């Protein structure tokens, strides 16, 4: 722990913060399903996933706050920053829309996280490695859960196929951002904190493409579109998500809950 | 489209190794794989299990409650099947 | 209590006349089992009135759990800290689980979950009217845990020993899970009461709004409620509305004191002779208005359930279609 109360490099902080923000923002989105899922059983499953993500966010943000050394805890980071200071992928903040988009996103994101957590088990950042040890099990279940659903929805009825293809077409361009490195990636890789995310792209493609094909979905072509949530340039949706999520802390500054 | 309810599955959980699987409830699921998944999501949220079985409810063959007398009552007088039936001298009674 | 409140004359259509097909020999066996404190299991013979009463009670209970996800669910995305968000999400998820266990118990009596769902969505089936009140501030989440879950636990513990095996077992699981619900609510309120004046006002306002609905949850006074001795004998309603309500009031007064909130009833005071707290007259018109569909949220709650069900139809169909395609 002494190591972590020292100030880490800003890139190291950013690398961890990015992961914490991904978990937090996607957890917030998935939690919106609670009470509204297509069937009671999936209500339970989605709440489990949201709980896993919120749990990961708490560990990662706490860790990022310590690395940063400015006295911000998980709640300080979650509730007191504005859009440009959030480092999550734009992919995570997009509205849920329907069950197809929710499941395709969960699948694409969790598949990436399984690969990332696997590598982070060996992180020089001991705390991050410990978080990886716990989170990889959760991510493996998320990818399995969402993967089974992508298969069923893609290869279900004409309507479910159309919705799932539409979801994939919508989300796919946002996945390019996952593998577009920022300066934080190079520093983290050099310091053996974690891999540059671009290095995981091939493995990710090898993992998701066969599943999308088995789901009878066609893979959209890559386009010049790029999202930039990782560097703080978010979609219009982000401000609304934060307005809702941060409402209490903003209206009652300094109060304890 | 014709509306069809997801079939019912009975869920059995082994709470830890060394114990039998025990019936703990049911779920609705379209197929076996999802039945296992939802059983996990519904019935093991508090570390209740280390192993799960799901069985389609329609595949369970149950004994007829009306046949309870002929099925289960005949065992009633076979008291010699129980160790307490045998009175042994105190010195060897731990047998 | 989720079912207690609904034990009212309008909802007892089947009356007490046993159907012609009842069999006196089986009936005698059934009665003997019940009187010996034994359990009835799904395939055992049971009188039609027992089956129907149970289906009604268990499904109302299940519907209440499911609709009950909505008022607190209203605060999941706005919970003030990540810890509270996780606790609330886990709690609301538990309620979904309770609904699921209870639907499964009802299904052993020969109804399908879809039939029960249709009855809820069409407005035919009842659910506890407490969930037709709005959650207007964060303190409402704490107060629901404290008062509503507190009242629920009181009613549900005796049901763990009810005569119908699947219902009793579902209730054992439910009660085990419920044990953290009231505590987390009270804990959230303690935190608020040790905070700013604004936070304390928030709690008092929530208590003012939830107190009377909470004690109405136990249902009409015994003298006004048609509850068959039958339900008591079957062990599916072991304590009367008024007795439970009294027990709840007695337990809650002390908790309110520790918290530092005022229960909004000037007539609430200890009665040495009775050994209980006396409390003021309940405004039953309010209760009946909400039961009859005119509460703040009746329409919105049913609309939310209908929307979730209708929006999910294509998902349920797709999964079945996939299963059938790949069955061979
Ligand atoms: Fe409950
Ligand atoms: Fe509860």
């Amino acid at each position: 722990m002494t190591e972590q109360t020292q100030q880490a490099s800003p890139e190291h902080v950013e690398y961890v913060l990015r992961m914490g923000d991904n978990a937090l923002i996607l957890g917030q989105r998935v939690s919106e399903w609670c009470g509204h899922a297509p069937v009671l059983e999936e209500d339970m499953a989605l709440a489990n996933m949201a709980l896993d993500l919120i749990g990961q966010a708490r560990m990662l943000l706490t860790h990022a706050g310590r690395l940063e050394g400015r006295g911000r805890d998980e709640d300080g980071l979650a509730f007191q920053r504005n859009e440009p200071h959030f480092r999550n992928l734009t992919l995570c903040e997009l509205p849920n829309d329907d069950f197809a988009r929710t499941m395709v996103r969960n699948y694409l994101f969790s598949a990436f996280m399984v690969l990332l957590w696997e590598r982070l088990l060996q992180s020089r950042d001991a705390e991050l490695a410990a978080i990886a040890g716990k989170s990889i099990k959760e991510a493996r279940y998320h990818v399995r859960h969402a993967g089974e659903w992508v298969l069923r929805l893609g290869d279900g009825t004409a309507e479910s196929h159309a919705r799932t293809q539409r979801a994939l077409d919508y989300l796919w361009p946002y996945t390019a951002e996952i593998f577009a490195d920022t300066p934080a990636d190079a520093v983290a890789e050099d310091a053996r904190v974690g891999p540059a995310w671009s290095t995981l792209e091939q493995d990710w493609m090898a993992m998701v493409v066969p599943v999308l094909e088995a789901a009878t979905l066609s893979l959209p072509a890559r386009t010049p579109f790029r999202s930039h949530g990782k560097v703080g340039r978010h979609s219009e949706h982000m401000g609304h998500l934060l307005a809702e999520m941060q409402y209490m802390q903003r209206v009652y500054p300094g109060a304890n809950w | 489209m014709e509306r069809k309810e997801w079939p019912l599955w009975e869920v059995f959980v082994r709470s830890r190794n060394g114990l039998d699987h025990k019936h703990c409830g049911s779920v609705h699921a379209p197929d076996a794989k999802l039945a296992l998944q939802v059983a996990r999501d519904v019935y093991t949220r508090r570390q209740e299990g280390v192993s799960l079985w799901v069985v389609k409810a329609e595949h369970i063959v149950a004994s007829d409650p009306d046949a309870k007398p002929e099925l289960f009552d005949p065992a009633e007088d076979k008291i010699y099947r129980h160790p307490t039936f045998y009175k042994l001298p105190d010195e060897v009674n731990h047998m | 209590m989720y079912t207690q409140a609904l034990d009212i004359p309008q909802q007892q259509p089947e009356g007490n006349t046993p159907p012609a097909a009842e069999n006196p020999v089986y009936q005698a066996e059934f009665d003997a089992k019940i009187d010996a404190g034994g359990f009835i299991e799904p395939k055992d013979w049971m009188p039609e009135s027992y089956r129907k009463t149970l289906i009604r009670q268990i499904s109302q209970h299940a519907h209440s759990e499911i609709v009950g996800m909505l008022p607190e669910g209203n605060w999941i995305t706005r919970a003030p800290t990540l810890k509270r968000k996780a606790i609330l999400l886990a709690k609301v998820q538990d309620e979904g689980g309770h609904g699921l266990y209870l639907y499964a118990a009802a299904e052993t009596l020969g109804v399908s979950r879809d039939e029960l769902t249709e009855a809820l969505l069409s407005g035919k089936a009842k659910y506890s009217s407490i969930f037709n009140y709005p959650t207007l501030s964060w303190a409402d989440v704490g107060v629901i845990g404290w008062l509503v879950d507190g009242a629920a636990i009181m009613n549900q513990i005796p049901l763990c020993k009810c005569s119908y095996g699947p219902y009793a077992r579902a209730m054992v699981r439910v009660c085990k899970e419920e044990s953290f619900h009231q505590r987390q609510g009270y804990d959230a309120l303690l935190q608020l009461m040790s905070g700013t004046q604004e936070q304390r006002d928030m709690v008092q306002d929530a208590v003012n709004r939830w107190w009377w609905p909470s004690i109405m949850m136990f249902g009409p006074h015994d003298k006004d409620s048609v509850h068959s001795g039958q339900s008591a004998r079957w062990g599916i309603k072991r304590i009367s509305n008024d007795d439970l309500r009294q027990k709840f009031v007695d337990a809650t007064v002390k908790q309110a004191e520790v918290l530092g909130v005022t229960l909004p009833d000037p007539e609430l005071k200890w009665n040495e002779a009775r050994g209980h707290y006396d409390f003021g007259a309940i405004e039953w018109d309010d209760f009946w208005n909400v039961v009859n569909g005119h509460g703040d949220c009746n329409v919105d709650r049913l609309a939310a359930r209908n929307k979730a069900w209708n929006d999910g139809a294509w998902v349920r169909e797709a999964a079945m279609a996939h299963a059938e395609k790949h069955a061979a």
Side-chain angles (χ1 to χ4, degrees):
Chain A
M1 279 293 142
T2 46
E3 186 191 6
Q4 283 143 24
T5 47
Q6 286 169 8
Q7 280 206 346
S9 71
E11 292 84 359
H12 184 173
V13 177
E14 172 148 345
Y15 191 89
V16 177
L17 194 58
R18 183 202 283 172
M19 295 182 64
D21 287 346
N22 280 342
L24 173 65
I25 300 301
L26 185 57
Q28 174 80 359
R29 281 297 186 212
V30 177
S31 79
E32 290 172 13
W33 276 103
C34 186
H36 308 279
V39 63
L40 207 38
E41 277 79 357
E42 281 310 308
D43 234 315
M44 306 297 289
L46 287 167
N48 278 340
M49 178 171 181
L51 283 168
D52 288 345
L53 290 170
I54 292 164
Q56 293 173 12
R58 295 182 65 191
M59 294 187 288
L60 289 162
L61 292 178
T62 299
H63 183 45
R66 287 195 190 128
L67 290 172
E68 181 190 52
R70 286 172 48 198
R72 297 199 281 185
D73 63 6
E74 57 181 60
D75 291 326
L77 287 168
F79 297 107
Q80 306 287 347
R81 283 179 298 156
N82 295 335
E83 290 102 300
H85 302 289
F86 274 85
R87 288 291 180 261
N88 57 283
L89 298 162
T90 303
L91 177 72
C92 295
E93 76 209 32
L94 300 170
N96 288 331
D97 192 53
D98 62 3
F99 191 74
R101 188 194 287 178
T102 298
M103 282 301 148
V104 174
R105 169 168 53 191
N106 285 356
Y107 177 66
L108 297 174
F109 178 77
S110 308
F112 169 71
M113 287 310 295
V114 166
L115 298 170
L116 180 57
W117 288 125
E118 267 169 12
R119 298 282 296 277
L120 291 173
L121 291 171
Q122 274 90 49
S123 173
R124 278 245 179 110
D125 176 339
E127 177 67 16
L128 190 56
I131 297 172
K134 179 174 186 305
S135 304
I136 190 166
K137 299 176 200 161
E138 296 169 346
R140 282 189 180 130
Y141 184 73
H142 300 165
V143 80
R144 170 181 162 167
H145 173 260
E148 294 294 345
W149 268 112
V150 168
L151 279 176
R152 281 160 185 76
L153 298 179
D155 184 22
T157 61
E159 180 180 5
S160 73
H161 177 82
R163 282 175 180 269
T164 312
Q165 185 65 55
R166 193 180 72 193
L168 183 63
D169 292 346
Y170 178 79
L171 295 169
W172 190 254
Y174 289 93
T175 60
E177 185 192 347
I178 305 176
F179 307 105
D181 285 347
T182 74
D185 288 273
V187 175
E189 176 136 321
D190 275 354
R192 312 256 300 273
V193 167
W197 288 11
S198 61
T199 61
L200 300 173
E201 183 168 10
Q202 270 196 345
D203 287 350
W204 181 78
M205 288 290 284
M207 191 169 169
V208 304
V209 170
V211 171
L212 298 176
E213 278 170 359
T216 72
L217 299 167
S218 50
L219 198 65
R222 281 279 176 227
T223 67
F225 174 89
R226 286 291 178 279
S227 53
H228 303 279
K230 277 204 295 205
V231 293
R233 265 169 55 211
H234 290 276
S235 68
E236 290 181 347
H237 307 292
M238 185 66 173
H240 295 280
L241 182 150
L242 293 185
E244 185 171 345
M245 186 177 82
Q246 298 180 335
Y247 149 71
M248 291 294 288
Q249 294 258 358
R250 299 295 193 172
V251 175
Y252 304 98
N256 290 315
W257 305 95
Chain B
M1 156 131 353
E2 170 200 13
R3 306 188 62 176
K4 217 183 269 175
E5 191 172 28
W6 286 0
L8 190 68
W9 302 73
E10 297 303 332
V11 180
F12 300 81
V13 62
R14 186 202 294 287
S15 55
R16 57 188 161 81
N17 276 10
L19 297 180
D20 290 325
H21 283 79
K22 195 175 150 204
H23 183 245
C24 69
S26 1
V27 292
H28 284 276
D31 55 62
K33 262 190 184 168
L34 281 198
L36 263 185
Q37 267 181 210
V38 301
R40 177 263 188 195
D41 279 314
V42 173
Y43 290 104
T44 65
R45 287 172 293 130
R46 286 174 169 80
Q47 299 181 290
E48 292 95 333
V50 295
S51 162
L52 278 172
W53 288 348
V54 291
V55 183
K56 224 178 195 175
E58 67 187 33
H59 291 161
I60 290 184
V61 181
S63 62
D64 175 2
D66 278 346
K68 186 173 162 285
E70 69 251 35
L71 289 178
F72 308 113
D73 291 353
E76 202 173 49
D77 65 352
K78 312 290 192 297
I79 48 175
Y80 45 80
R81 285 184 180 276
H82 299 277
T84 46
F85 177 74
Y86 305 93
K87 298 280 166 278
L88 300 186
D90 281 351
E91 303 93 286
V92 294
N93 203 20
H94 57 271
M95 195 180 278
Chain C
M1 115 316 310
Y2 290 164
T3 52
Q4 201 96 9
L6 303 161
D7 193 11
I8 46 183
Q10 292 91 318
Q11 257 115 12
Q12 307 237 334
E14 56 268 6
N16 290 325
T17 38
E22 308 279 277
N23 176 322
V25 177
Y26 284 172
Q27 178 75 50
E29 262 177 39
F30 172 88
D31 289 342
K33 241 188 264 179
I34 293 270
D35 293 343
F39 289 103
I40 307 301
E41 294 295 346
K43 297 204 169 193
D44 292 348
W45 183 90
M46 62 187 80
E48 198 50 23
S49 56
Y50 180 79
R51 201 180 68 85
K52 280 194 171 154
T53 303
L54 274 170
I55 290 176
R56 193 185 59 227
Q57 176 167 332
I58 299 171
S59 63
Q60 282 177 359
H61 193 160
H63 298 328
S64 301
E65 301 280 359
I66 298 307
V67 177
M69 298 172 79
L70 297 171
E72 286 180 285
N74 183 36
W75 280 90
I76 291 171
T77 57
R78 292 179 295 166
T81 68
L82 295 183
K83 181 183 94 177
R84 295 282 173 207
K85 191 190 288 290
I87 292 171
L88 179 59
L89 182 52
K91 194 260 182 190
V92 175
Q93 183 200 39
D94 273 356
E95 308 300 5
H98 300 169
L100 198 155
Y101 311 151
L102 288 162
Y103 282 131
E107 285 178 85
T108 63
L109 292 158
V111 277
S112 70
R113 194 197 293 175
D114 274 4
E115 288 173 74
L116 299 174
T117 304
E118 297 296 343
L120 171 67
L121 297 182
S122 68
K124 262 201 332 234
K126 296 288 182 194
Y127 56 87
S128 178
S129 54
I130 193 72
F131 301 118
N132 289 320
Y133 294 87
T135 49
L136 302 179
S137 81
W138 170 251
D140 289 38
V141 168
V143 169
I144 288 178
W146 173 36
L147 297 179
V148 177
D149 287 85
I153 292 164
M154 229 164 234
N155 182 252
Q156 292 176 356
I157 286 174
L159 291 174
C160 295
K161 289 188 212 128
C162 78
S163 62
Y164 188 56
Y167 191 23
R169 290 190 287 275
M171 290 315 301
V172 168
R173 185 171 279 273
V174 167
C175 287
K176 223 188 258 171
E177 297 186 0
E178 281 290 343
S179 57
F180 100 88
H181 293 183
Q182 189 182 23
R183 294 174 69 91
Q184 65 81 33
Y186 197 78
D187 176 73
L189 295 177
L190 280 173
Q191 177 73 53
L192 292 175
M193 292 305 289
S194 69
T196 64
Q197 187 57 44
E198 237 177 338
Q199 287 175 301
R200 284 191 289 277
D201 292 346
M202 197 187 278
V203 177
Q204 186 60 58
D205 172 65
V207 171
N208 292 348
R209 284 181 289 108
W210 287 94
W211 172 250
W212 288 104
S214 298
I215 68 171
M216 287 181 207
M217 258 171 26
F218 293 95
H221 289 307
D222 296 346
K223 62 177 169 52
D224 304 321
S225 75
V226 186
H227 61 93
S228 48
Q230 197 107 88
S231 286
R233 186 173 179 199
W234 291 338
I236 57 176
K237 174 166 177 161
R238 303 184 145 223
I239 309 178
S240 82
N241 291 359
D242 283 331
D243 287 353
L244 265 179
R245 183 168 16 242
Q246 185 68 61
K247 198 173 161 209
F248 175 73
V249 171
D250 290 347
T252 309
V253 170
K254 175 80 188 161
Q255 295 161 357
E257 265 171 42
V258 172
L259 210 49
V261 295
T262 309
L263 297 175
D265 178 0
E267 291 171 54
L268 191 66
K269 60 169 182 301
W270 179 251
N271 181 327
E272 193 64 51
R274 290 203 308 127
H276 290 291
Y277 282 92
D278 289 338
F279 50 94
I282 295 170
E283 293 281 346
W284 288 111
D285 286 352
D286 283 359
F287 175 79
W288 290 113
N289 281 338
V290 180
V291 168
N292 292 325
H294 311 298
D296 286 14
C297 301
N298 296 58
V299 173
D300 286 347
R301 298 287 185 246
L302 268 196
R305 286 314 308 159
N306 272 286
K307 181 173 189 320
W309 187 248
N310 295 334
D311 287 355
W314 69 269
V315 177
R316 298 189 300 274
E317 281 159 14
M320 273 317 286
H322 180 90
E324 278 159 13
K325 256 190 252 185
H326 296 265

